[in-house]
Amino acid sequence: MFKKIRSRMLSGLLVLTMVFSMASPALAAEESGEETVAAETVEAAAETESEETGAETDAETETGDAAEDTETFTETEEVTVTVDDDSDLEELLSSMADNDELFDSYVSQLFYGGRSSYANYGYRLFKNDEINYPIYLALREQISAIAAGTQTSTQITIDLSDYGLTYTADELGIEASSETTELKSYGTAALGEDLLYGKIVYCLLVDCPYEMYWFSKTSYSVGWSMSFSGTSSAYTSITFTSITFNFPVISDYQDSTAYTLSTSGVERAQTAVENAQQIVGNHDSESDEDKLTSYRDEICDLVTYNTEAATDEYKATYGYGDPWGLVYVFDEDDTTNVVCEGYSKAFQYLCDLGLSEETVCYTVTGTMTGGTGSGGHM
């Protein structure tokens, strides 16, 4: 019986072995098929990626071609403004002192320090304006440098790149075109609404007239640089990149060109200030009473009375100028002399700087009747 059981077990094993042997090739084939499908999937994915990469490359090529077609070029334009063009400016300039009087007032500022006594009109008008107020301040700073002789050119350029003064054809309500004439015309008009150069100049003349003693007061010009962007077939935007204010110099204060200031006058004034302050320093240890005598003697040693300037003929020819001011007293030039007003201003200045608070000096004016020197005096 044991033999029969063993025989049956062996037969079962043989059957199992045959079944397993027959199943193994099928299983192997199935696994091989899965590997084949996976390989085909990877290959397909690679082809898809290659196609997408190719599409991206084509897109980049097309973008690159478009970038190459984009063009930008720059032009400049200038507008001259005469006094007659602006009634407010004409009225202001007609009420201002002449250039020599303005220079005399500027020199007084050098002697006494400080700025013009006018109200800060530019601040009141533009304080909340992110375009015009910074431009006004930049111009005022350079005008002060011109007045002081540290800058001689009166053509002042302001960079506009930070102000976003770009206007597109769509914003201006026009069609993009290969011609820039219409874009420039509409863009310039839009600029005029944002950048108020006429009001800026008006504020400068109100706020710092003495610093503009050199300005001819007849006209000025404004020029701007602009760039156009787009393609060769259609320019789509205009950008204003800089603005230049051209202020002509009156002939008496010119150097080599109409836009170049001669610094000889202001340099002479600065030298006179230094000399006057040196006189005050030389007598600093004296009493107020002794200072009065010393100041008088110093002035008399420096100048003599300018009898020619006191004549009507001189005033008709040369007008009011240096013989009535401080500079000719302290410039250490024997050929420059003053009339009574120059003497009085010089003495007043030395007293203002050198005397104690207990002693006050006043300048008075009056009229002399009869005799030598009759007429108005200071």
Side-chain angles (χ1 to χ4, degrees):
M1 181 157 181
F2 176 75
K3 288 181 178 179
K4 289 182 179 180
I5 294 172
R6 183 181 178 189
S7 176
R8 289 175 180 174
M9 290 177 63
L10 290 173
S11 298
L13 288 171
L14 180 60
V15 172
L16 288 172
T17 301
M18 291 176 65
V19 171
F20 182 77
S21 298
M22 294 175 65
S24 295
L27 181 62
E30 183 178 343
E31 292 175 351
S32 176
E34 290 175 355
E35 292 175 358
T36 301
V37 171
E40 290 175 353
T41 302
V42 172
E43 183 177 353
E47 290 176 357
T48 301
E49 183 178 355
S50 176
E51 290 174 359
E52 291 175 350
T53 303
E56 291 174 358
T57 302
D58 291 341
E60 290 173 358
T61 302
E62 292 173 1
T63 302
D65 292 340
E68 291 175 0
D69 290 339
T70 300
E71 293 187 1
T72 299
F73 69 93
T74 300
E75 286 186 7
T76 58
E77 187 172 74
E78 185 172 307
V79 175
T80 299
V81 181
T82 64
V83 173
D84 296 339
D85 296 333
D86 189 330
S87 58
D88 291 336
L89 182 62
E90 182 178 18
E91 182 179 356
L92 172 65
L93 291 175
S94 65
S95 66
M96 290 176 62
D98 65 31
N99 293 83
D100 288 338
E101 290 176 300
L102 291 174
F103 180 69
D104 186 57
S105 296
Y106 177 73
V107 170
S108 295
Q109 289 183 176
L110 294 181
F111 276 92
Y112 285 98
R115 296 184 58 82
S116 304
S117 59
Y118 284 70
N120 197 343
Y121 186 57
Y123 172 77
R124 291 191 289 128
L125 187 63
F126 295 131
K127 62 181 178 180
N128 296 318
D129 192 318
E130 296 180 353
I131 296 175
N132 292 286
Y133 190 53
I135 293 174
Y136 160 81
L137 290 177
L139 283 169
R140 193 173 74 176
E141 181 179 358
Q142 293 199 48
I143 285 172
S144 295
I146 293 169
T150 58
Q151 176 177 322
T152 57
S153 174
T154 58
Q155 295 176 297
I156 305 173
T157 298
I158 306 296
D159 184 9
L160 299 178
S161 58
D162 293 334
Y163 300 111
L165 295 171
T166 296
Y167 307 93
T168 66
D170 288 342
E171 292 171 338
L172 297 172
I174 60 176
E175 295 291 331
S177 171
S178 59
E179 298 292 331
T180 60
T181 304
E182 189 176 33
L183 185 58
K184 179 168 65 174
S185 175
Y186 279 78
T188 302
L191 176 71
E193 295 179 2
D194 292 332
L195 203 165
L196 309 175
Y197 59 83
K199 288 187 177 180
I200 290 174
V201 172
Y202 185 92
C203 290
L204 290 169
L205 287 165
V206 170
D207 291 342
C208 44
Y210 305 150
E211 286 83 354
M212 296 187 74
Y213 63 82
W214 43 267
F215 178 44
S216 70
K217 300 184 197 175
T218 56
S219 66
Y220 67 92
S221 63
V222 178
W224 42 76
S225 294
M226 64 201 97
S227 64
F228 299 89
S229 297
T231 64
S232 57
S233 60
Y235 290 99
T236 56
S237 68
I238 180 173
T239 298
F240 293 89
T241 56
S242 67
I243 184 169
T244 299
F245 291 80
N246 304 295
F247 297 107
V249 180
I250 193 169
S251 59
D252 289 347
Y253 294 88
Q254 279 182 24
D255 192 0
S256 55
T257 72
Y259 297 101
T260 307
L261 176 71
S262 171
T263 61
S264 60
V266 70
E267 288 173 352
R268 189 174 74 248
Q270 290 166 345
T271 298
V273 171
E274 295 172 1
N275 292 337
Q277 292 174 346
Q278 183 62 49
I279 290 173
V280 172
N282 291 342
H283 301 282
D284 188 54
S285 60
E286 298 177 5
S287 66
D288 281 355
E289 185 176 355
D290 290 338
K291 285 178 182 178
L292 294 174
T293 302
S294 297
Y295 295 161
R296 180 202 61 193
D297 293 343
E298 291 274 11
I299 293 171
C300 291
D301 288 341
L302 290 171
V303 289
T304 57
Y305 190 81
N306 192 332
T307 54
E308 181 186 4
T311 63
D312 293 335
E313 292 80 4
Y314 182 94
K315 285 181 280 188
T317 303
Y318 300 105
Y320 178 91
D322 288 323
W324 287 262
L326 288 163
V327 174
Y328 271 17
V329 178
F330 300 113
D331 63 358
E332 295 184 337
D333 184 344
D334 293 338
T335 65
T336 58
N337 295 292
V338 295
V339 295
C340 58
E341 186 172 336
Y343 279 94
S344 299
K345 288 180 177 178
F347 189 76
Q348 177 75 63
Y349 178 71
L350 296 179
C351 290
D352 289 343
L353 261 62
L355 297 181
S356 66
E357 295 181 357
E358 286 75 24
T359 305
V360 180
C361 175
Y362 293 98
T363 296
V364 296
T365 60
T367 301
M368 181 182 294
T369 58
T372 303
S374 61
H377 289 275
M378 179 180 289

